[in-house]
Amino acid sequence: MKVLIDHISKVYTDRRGEKTEALRDIHFAIEENEFVVVVGPSGCGKSTLLSIIGGLLSSTSGQVAFEGARADSKPHTAIVFQDFALFPWRTVLKNIVYGLEEQGLSYSDQLKISKKYIAMVGLQGFEDKYPHQLSGGMKQRVSIARALVTDPHLLLMDEPFSALDAQTRTLMQYELSRIWEETQKSFLYITHHIQEAVFLGDRVVVLSRRPGRILDIIKIDLPRPRSEHLTIEKRYLEYVDTIWRYIKEQAREALEELP
């Protein structure tokens, strides 16, 4: 199923009536089973875009279309947040099955479905643990499993590894790439980390500083499965350098506008 982000713009208006343009005419598509990454400088509207696609925020103009999806079909989207957003009073299992509970599935069906995703994210044996008993990486694995159990058309991820230490973040990138290959779902991943964007993505959408506009959409022609050896390959480094030149120029222009 194709997802069309159709000329999305967003303008915020504060209590005094002053307007701030966050996004301007964002237009691209996410193909079925594609991993798309959005990268840009701080404040460029990346998270605003994800919130609009996820239905948490309305756009000022434009629309998001899930082509071929029926209104009564499985959830269009599920979101993985950077702060884990787990229920501290629920165990790992109870956090993961929460969406299935809301859908009204029987407990036996909840267990059957969750078992698959608990194994996929490597949490076997931790089903009865509580969030405070888990490392940051394990908490994010719970968040990913909780999002996947509802079988969404599109998985949205808002800088999910930004709260992790560098080593755990790198390992989680490998894990997420593997999980995407297993599920073959459509992923939209938001990050400010250029190396992460190139490592994970099939395509990288590069946004400008505010108001966020598309500067380029770069197809990442690198082999899968992705492994740590990829990060020393010439082609990988060329992609990183290309995106960095966009981001660096945007940051420089922003600095030059400061009083």
Side-chain angles (χ1 to χ4, degrees):
M1 184 200 62
K2 182 177 180 179
V3 183
L4 179 63
I5 291 83
D6 188 12
H7 297 285
I8 293 291
S9 295
K10 178 64 178 178
V11 178
Y12 290 100
T13 304
D14 66 18
R15 293 179 180 177
R16 294 176 295 180
E18 295 182 1
K19 297 182 182 299
T20 300
E21 187 179 14
L23 294 169
R24 180 184 296 171
D25 197 33
I26 303 298
H27 183 78
F28 65 95
I30 305 168
E31 302 295 336
E32 188 170 1
N33 306 333
E34 186 180 24
F35 199 130
V36 175
V37 182
V38 177
V39 67
S42 296
C44 71
K46 299 185 296 295
S47 293
T48 295
L49 177 62
L50 180 137
S51 294
I52 291 171
I53 296 170
L56 302 179
L57 191 65
S58 62
S59 61
T60 304
S61 61
Q63 64 178 343
V64 179
F66 293 81
E67 297 186 349
R70 302 193 318 270
D72 61 347
S73 67
K74 63 187 180 182
H76 290 349
T77 64
I79 304 177
V80 177
F81 299 98
Q82 59 181 289
D83 61 356
F84 314 130
L86 300 179
F87 299 119
W89 60 89
R90 282 180 167 247
T91 63
V92 165
L93 176 62
K94 285 293 188 178
N95 267 285
I96 290 172
V97 302
Y98 175 75
L100 302 177
E101 289 179 357
E102 292 296 300
Q103 291 178 358
L105 270 68
S106 68
Y107 188 63
S108 61
D109 285 340
Q110 293 174 30
L111 290 178
K112 181 180 178 180
I113 295 169
S114 64
K115 183 178 180 180
K116 170 186 174 181
Y117 292 100
I118 286 170
M120 183 181 292
V121 301
L123 287 172
Q124 305 98 316
F126 292 89
E127 291 89 342
D128 296 327
K129 300 295 184 182
Y130 287 88
H132 74 271
Q133 298 174 297
L134 306 176
S135 66
M138 293 179 73
K139 289 176 184 177
Q140 202 54 284
R141 289 169 190 261
V142 176
S143 297
I144 293 168
R146 180 179 61 183
L148 288 172
V149 293
T150 60
D151 194 24
H153 292 298
L154 174 66
L155 183 65
L156 301 168
M157 308 189 80
D158 188 8
E159 302 199 49
F161 303 150
S162 61
L164 305 178
D165 63 78
Q167 293 87 353
T168 303
R169 181 173 190 152
T170 299
L171 292 173
M172 286 301 296
Q173 290 169 14
Y174 303 156
E175 284 296 292
L176 184 61
S177 182
R178 175 188 60 79
I179 289 168
W180 173 80
E181 288 170 20
E182 285 191 35
T183 63
Q184 284 294 290
K185 285 190 171 296
S186 300
F187 280 21
L188 181 68
Y189 189 100
I190 302 294
T191 186
H192 65 275
H193 193 286
I194 297 170
Q195 290 85 351
E196 183 171 78
V198 174
F199 183 83
L200 291 172
D202 293 318
R203 286 186 298 149
V204 176
V205 179
V206 185
L207 294 188
S208 71
R209 62 193 176 89
R210 191 173 65 202
R213 295 164 287 109
I214 294 179
L215 297 175
D216 201 354
I217 299 178
I218 300 169
K219 180 175 174 56
I220 305 299
D221 187 15
L222 295 171
R224 291 190 184 272
R226 305 265 167 96
S227 69
E228 59 188 300
H229 304 292
L230 183 70
T231 60
I232 60 173
E233 295 291 333
K234 179 182 177 182
R235 191 67 176 141
Y236 168 88
L237 296 172
E238 288 173 347
Y239 285 128
V240 170
D241 183 62
T242 296
I243 297 171
W244 167 236
R245 281 188 270 116
Y246 278 119
I247 304 299
K248 180 172 65 175
E249 183 62 26
Q250 292 297 301
R252 181 183 291 117
E253 290 180 8
L255 284 173
E256 289 174 354
E257 288 186 357
L258 292 175

